[in-house]
């Protein structure tokens, strides 16, 4: 089976890097195909997050959203959807990312686009036939 991590990752504690996961990269995909795959994943995760936050009682979802805001984590993104600035301070690398807003969902009748919608939280896992 497969277990794929997508979005932002804090890396191993000894690496001191916070950045985007690159394990979605498929060597058989060119740049355009990889960007389309990234948009597809975000296009699945973000509406799922928004539907869940609309359906789950406020007493449950509001504290979760508050904790996410307190952690100051950026929204879900892929390497092709952010602009980054990098600063090195000794052994610590500080990365500042500016993510684009919104997402797209490819449907049989065309592409649905939510250009200002809230994206899913920072990280997601996708599994298929995975056992550990």
């Amino acid at each position: 089976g497969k277990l794929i991590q997508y979005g932002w990752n804090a890396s191993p504690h000894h690496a001191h890097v916070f950045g985007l996961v690159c394990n979605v990269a498929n060597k058989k995909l060119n740049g355009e195909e990889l960007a389309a795959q990234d948009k597809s994943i975000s296009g699945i995760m973000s509406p799922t997050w928004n539907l869940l936050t609309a359906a789950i009682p406020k007493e449950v979802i509001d504290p979760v959203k508050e904790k996410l805001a307190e952690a100051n984590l950026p929204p879900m993104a892929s390497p092709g959807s952010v602009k980054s600035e990098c600063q090195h301070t000794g052994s610590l690398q500080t990365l500042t990312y500016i993510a684009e807003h919104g997402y797209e969902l490819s449907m049989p009748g065309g592409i649905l686009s939510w250009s200002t919608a809230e994206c899913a939280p920072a990280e997601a896992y996708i599994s298929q036939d995975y056992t550990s």
Side-chain angles (χ1 to χ4, degrees):
K2 294 181 183 180
L3 179 64
I4 299 171
Q5 183 181 14
Y6 184 80
W8 299 94
N9 181 284
S11 74
H13 73 280
H14 66 278
H16 299 287
V17 175
F18 180 78
L20 291 163
V21 174
C22 294
N23 68 357
V24 177
N26 182 334
K27 294 179 182 176
K28 297 177 186 174
L29 300 178
N30 65 32
E32 274 186 27
E33 293 168 329
L34 186 56
Q37 179 177 302
D38 285 343
K39 276 188 176 181
S40 176
I41 293 171
S42 180
I44 293 167
M45 295 298 171
S46 293
T48 301
W49 169 253
N50 288 322
L51 288 169
L52 285 172
T53 59
I56 295 173
K58 285 189 151 307
E59 302 82 33
V60 175
I61 199 63
D62 284 350
V64 172
K65 289 177 118 179
E66 287 171 17
K67 290 296 181 186
L68 288 169
E70 284 175 22
N72 201 27
L73 293 171
M76 184 174 286
S78 65
S81 70
V82 296
K83 298 175 185 174
S84 65
E85 298 172 4
C86 180
Q87 298 175 353
H88 295 277
T89 311
S91 64
L92 181 63
Q93 183 179 4
T94 304
L95 302 170
T96 304
Y97 292 94
I98 304 156
E100 295 179 2
H101 296 283
Y103 53 89
E104 294 179 350
L105 187 58
S106 182
M107 303 294 285
I111 295 176
L112 297 175
S113 179
W114 294 270
S115 62
T116 60
E118 180 181 359
C119 288
E123 185 177 22
Y125 292 87
I126 303 167
S127 68
Q128 179 179 9
D129 301 326
Y130 180 78
T131 59
S132 61

